[in-house]
Amino acid sequence: MQTIHTIPDFRVWRRSAANKFVAFVPTMGALHEGHASLVREARKFAGPSGLVAATIFVNPTQFGPSEDFSKYPRTLDADAALLARNGCDVLFAPSAEEMYPSIRQFSVQHSTFSVSVDPGPLANILEDAIRPGHFRGVCTIVLKLLNIVQPHKLVMGQKDYQQNAVLRQMIRDLDVPAEHVMCPTIREADGLAMSSRNRYLSADERARAVAIYEALSWAAAQYASGGRDGAALKAGMTQRIQQRGLRVQYAIAAHADTLAEYSTIDGPCVLLVAAVLGTTRLIDNMILP
Ligand code: AMP
């Protein structure tokens, strides 16, 4: 696997791959089995003659001023080894200066110093209501990376459900010539969704973090046995998460496409949860069949 740090060098690589199918996995590093599964999926999409590209970039413009940008784990050597092991052909790992040469202070407040992508109405709710400017940062960096990598396929994880919805809309509305695919969330043995942020959890917090998966599973079981009352699922999930000492930011049944909260579930549904445990923010979701 080749590792590239600058945009001009990546463009040289991309020209050398001009006739190849390229599948792309963008990440912020601190990679785990969830990311590895995306690389393996990308490998399948690319086939024996295609290529898999991954990026590692901790994007400053999607972090709020009081969020964990500076302490976000950076483990480039281990990440590169994981990517190579799972069939990645090229890693693009640029610096913040390489990606944002015109921005001096990196944070969502300063993203207005440059051209950025308006993420639209899907981004005004849930994650973005709690992390204002987050999806402007996400859309802007993903569009930049798509313009650099120029993939045929963009491979992302269901773990960040709203991010998938916002980016799918961006790709459609801005006619980005890449097809977006969403792959299943990979979980720890007890059900906790794998996340780079799980390493912030103390042993005690790690044991309690499973409350999120248990609440989602409870609501999915209610739904399977005919429960369609969105408010009852919301209250039940919230109570189950809170009783293990997590602070719930949202725990709702929402329309799978519009993400509008259901009072009565009468269409495609996704359960969406965000909760804070100590100083660690965790999100998870479950699509109801
Ligand atoms: P991140 O590095 O957290 O920005 O995530 C990079 C990509 O990996 C995104 O598409 C995430 O949705 C995906 N991802 C993160 N955690 C998981 C997981 N547990 N299972 C599957 N995909 C994941």
Side-chain angles (χ1 to χ4, degrees):
M1 184 185 75
Q2 208 178 324
T3 299
I4 297 173
H5 297 287
T6 70
I7 297 168
D9 285 351
F10 196 89
R11 297 229 187 264
V12 171
W13 178 88
R14 189 64 186 87
R15 276 196 293 278
S16 75
N19 299 320
K20 304 264 179 123
F21 183 96
V22 175
F24 171 39
V25 181
T27 82
M28 297 206 301
L31 303 182
H32 49 67
E33 188 51 32
H35 300 106
S37 75
L38 299 183
V39 175
R40 291 194 295 269
E41 281 304 311
R43 184 73 266 158
K44 282 191 225 158
F45 286 124
S49 59
L51 296 167
V52 174
T55 54
I56 293 179
F57 182 61
V58 185
N59 174 36
T61 67
Q62 71 190 65
F63 287 78
S66 59
E67 293 183 19
D68 57 345
F69 171 66
S70 54
K71 74 163 189 168
Y72 198 84
R74 286 156 171 93
T75 56
L76 187 62
D77 292 344
D79 291 349
L82 177 144
L83 292 170
R85 254 195 333 269
N86 286 280
C88 183
D89 296 294
V90 64
L91 164 62
F92 179 50
S95 66
E97 291 73 19
E98 182 73 9
M99 294 306 285
Y100 297 111
S102 61
I103 301 180
R104 294 205 188 287
Q105 263 182 298
F106 302 114
S107 81
V108 285
Q109 295 125 310
H110 298 281
S111 60
T112 49
F113 277 67
S114 291
V115 173
S116 58
V117 177
D118 180 339
L122 266 178
N124 293 334
I125 52 173
L126 301 167
E127 284 300 287
D128 219 63
I130 293 158
R131 310 176 68 189
H134 172 67
F135 283 122
R136 178 178 298 277
V138 168
C139 284
T140 303
I141 193 63
V142 171
L143 187 61
K144 282 166 69 68
L145 292 171
L146 286 167
N147 283 334
I148 295 164
V149 177
Q150 297 177 26
H152 300 84
K153 208 110 182 174
L154 171 63
V155 182
M156 307 202 83
Q158 186 191 319
K159 162 80 173 24
D160 300 273
Y161 190 90
Q162 187 179 6
Q163 175 170 283
N164 281 274
V166 171
L167 290 173
R168 199 182 293 124
Q169 192 75 41
M170 178 188 83
I171 285 170
R172 208 180 294 147
D173 289 353
L174 300 185
D175 303 303
V176 177
E179 191 192 333
H180 165 271
V181 288
M182 184 171 83
C183 301
T185 300
I186 304 299
R187 299 180 179 281
E188 302 287 357
D190 65 355
L192 175 68
M194 289 192 182
S195 165
S196 307
R197 290 187 167 99
N198 290 351
R199 67 186 75 191
Y200 299 152
L201 300 171
S202 67
D204 169 62
E205 289 170 342
R206 171 64 190 82
R208 289 185 288 124
V210 72
I212 296 175
Y213 178 70
E214 287 173 356
L216 289 166
S217 303
W218 169 83
Q222 293 296 113
Y223 179 84
S225 55
R228 295 293 183 270
D229 181 346
L233 295 188
K234 178 180 186 164
M237 286 195 289
T238 301
Q239 188 244 326
R240 280 168 173 75
I241 298 167
Q242 277 174 349
Q243 76 189 9
R244 302 288 284 277
L246 288 78
R247 185 164 56 80
V248 175
Q249 292 185 321
Y250 56 81
I252 62 164
H255 189 285
D257 301 322
T258 67
L259 308 188
E261 187 174 342
Y262 277 120
S263 45
T264 302
I265 303 170
D266 57 2
C269 184
V270 61
L271 304 167
L272 298 167
V273 170
V276 179
L277 181 48
T279 55
T280 307
R281 185 167 184 276
L282 301 172
I283 59 170
D284 201 353
N285 65 81
M286 207 174 269
I287 299 171
L288 297 182

